[in-house]
Amino acid sequence: MTQALAFPVPNALGNIDQYVQAVNRYPLLTEEQEQALAHRLSDENDLDAARQLVLSHLRLVVSIARNYLGYGLPHADLIQEGNIGLMKAVKRFDPDRGVRLVSFAMHWIKAEIHEYILKNWRLVKIATTKAQRKLFFNLRSLRPSTATLSPEDVRGIAAKLNVKPEEVIEMETRFSGGDVAIDRGSDDDDERMSPIDWLADESAEPVEVLATAQNERLADEGLKGALASLDERSRAIVQRRWLVEDNAATLHELAAEYGVSAERIRQIEAKAMQKMKLLLSA
């Protein structure tokens, strides 16, 4: 049996820079070590072997996630989604295929990050087909310059990515359009009007105040009932992940506490949330 490597699970880290420094300290695996750990996982379901395989490749996730910072989403969230992809790759990795885990995992890491971006970025409604997704993630690099695309540029990109020229134009418009803030943000100029100043505050109406209070009471009772329907472990995971004001537990912290993988904690959480959703919508 391969000797366990120095892979301590770090305590809570203060910021993303400390996290990156921590994962870069994990040792890289030789091909022999990787093969031995992968066989321990596939043959014996050794969770410690899975842990070592995941931790040794966390720096890969950080590196890949950094390439998607241009979409305006938090680096930490991109890394978290990439880590889910890494865990899926480790679970499915076949050590007898003659491929290193780093090559196999890149597909799964990128796939999870892509899904996260498409679900959370403002262009999601246009990126619905495989070809449109390819356009979404390649338009920036295919543009010849920062200037407006010429008709020839549009036709060339459309042909290369197998989409309609109209889709290239629409995507380009969305990329260059930018969002308009509804309020003035941190601007202290009281003389300057913003769109939000023209909106009536309907929540201040007495009827709305009473209705809001009633809805909150019913929602609170419904939430308590939905939580009560869960088993003790599922209820504890949901409460510590979503119902605490500060220091919400991470998947890895709960995994270490319950002696299972982070992916298993995620599965329990997803199943519990689905059950609660059905009860609350009934």
Side-chain angles (χ1 to χ4, degrees):
M1 179 179 291
T2 304
Q3 184 178 2
L5 302 176
F7 283 111
V9 177
N11 295 324
L13 300 174
N15 55 49
I16 187 64
D17 293 330
Q18 291 177 328
Y19 172 84
V20 172
Q21 292 174 10
V23 301
N24 283 336
R25 287 196 293 268
Y26 289 132
L28 297 174
L29 298 176
T30 65
E31 185 172 0
E32 292 74 18
Q33 290 172 328
E34 181 180 292
Q35 284 283 313
L37 290 169
H39 277 291
R40 280 170 50 189
L41 175 59
S42 61
D43 300 340
E44 307 170 23
N45 196 29
D46 188 331
L47 296 182
D48 183 66
R51 181 179 69 89
Q52 295 184 52
L53 288 169
V54 169
L55 292 178
S56 66
H57 289 80
L58 290 179
R59 67 179 68 194
L60 172 65
V61 176
V62 172
S63 177
I64 293 175
R66 190 176 292 119
N67 295 327
Y68 295 92
L69 290 176
Y71 295 99
L73 295 170
H75 193 194
D77 290 351
L78 294 170
I79 290 174
Q80 177 172 287
E81 296 301 318
N83 286 343
I84 294 175
L86 172 60
M87 289 185 284
K88 289 182 178 180
V90 168
K91 182 179 180 180
R92 294 166 172 79
F93 181 58
D94 184 354
D96 297 323
R97 289 290 182 91
V99 178
R100 293 296 301 269
L101 177 56
V102 63
S103 300
F104 180 74
M106 289 180 67
H107 164 76
W108 290 94
I109 294 169
K110 290 181 178 180
E112 288 296 321
I113 293 177
H114 284 188
E115 285 299 316
Y116 172 73
I117 292 174
L118 289 171
K119 288 177 181 177
N120 290 275
W121 212 53
R122 61 189 174 91
L123 302 190
V124 60
K125 63 182 180 181
I126 192 175
T128 54
T129 67
K130 183 177 180 180
Q132 288 172 338
R133 292 186 179 202
K134 188 174 182 180
L135 170 61
F136 179 88
F137 287 107
N138 287 276
L139 181 57
R140 291 173 187 265
S141 60
L142 290 176
R143 292 180 60 182
S145 67
T146 57
T148 303
L149 293 177
S150 67
E152 183 179 349
D153 294 332
V154 171
R155 289 192 294 269
I157 294 174
K160 188 169 185 178
L161 298 179
N162 193 30
V163 296
K164 298 177 181 179
E166 294 80 7
E167 293 175 325
V168 175
I169 294 172
E170 183 174 358
M171 186 71 77
E172 167 65 13
T173 301
R174 293 176 178 274
F175 268 124
S176 59
D179 295 323
V180 177
I182 192 171
D183 60 10
R184 66 172 67 93
S186 59
D187 191 349
D188 294 329
D189 184 5
D190 293 334
E191 300 298 324
R192 180 173 172 267
M193 300 294 288
S194 60
I196 199 171
D197 294 319
W198 302 101
L199 301 179
D201 185 7
E202 297 180 356
S203 64
E205 294 291 334
V207 174
E208 290 296 329
V209 172
L210 292 174
T212 300
Q214 175 73 358
N215 290 336
E216 290 178 351
R217 183 181 65 81
L218 292 175
D220 185 58
E221 292 175 355
L223 179 59
K224 290 180 180 178
L227 282 171
S229 71
L230 303 177
D231 61 85
E232 183 177 349
R233 181 173 65 171
S234 298
R235 182 165 57 252
I237 289 173
V238 171
Q239 288 176 324
R240 294 176 59 187
R241 287 276 292 160
W242 298 100
L243 301 179
V244 294
E245 293 185 2
D246 299 308
N247 298 322
T250 66
L251 294 175
H252 290 290
E253 289 172 346
L254 292 170
E257 180 175 332
Y258 286 102
V260 297
S261 67
E263 172 64 13
R264 178 56 183 154
I265 294 294
R266 189 193 66 78
Q267 292 172 355
I268 294 172
E269 177 189 356
K271 184 177 180 180
M273 297 291 281
Q274 180 64 25
K275 182 177 181 179
M276 291 177 64
K277 182 178 179 180
L278 292 174
L279 289 173
L280 291 172
S281 61

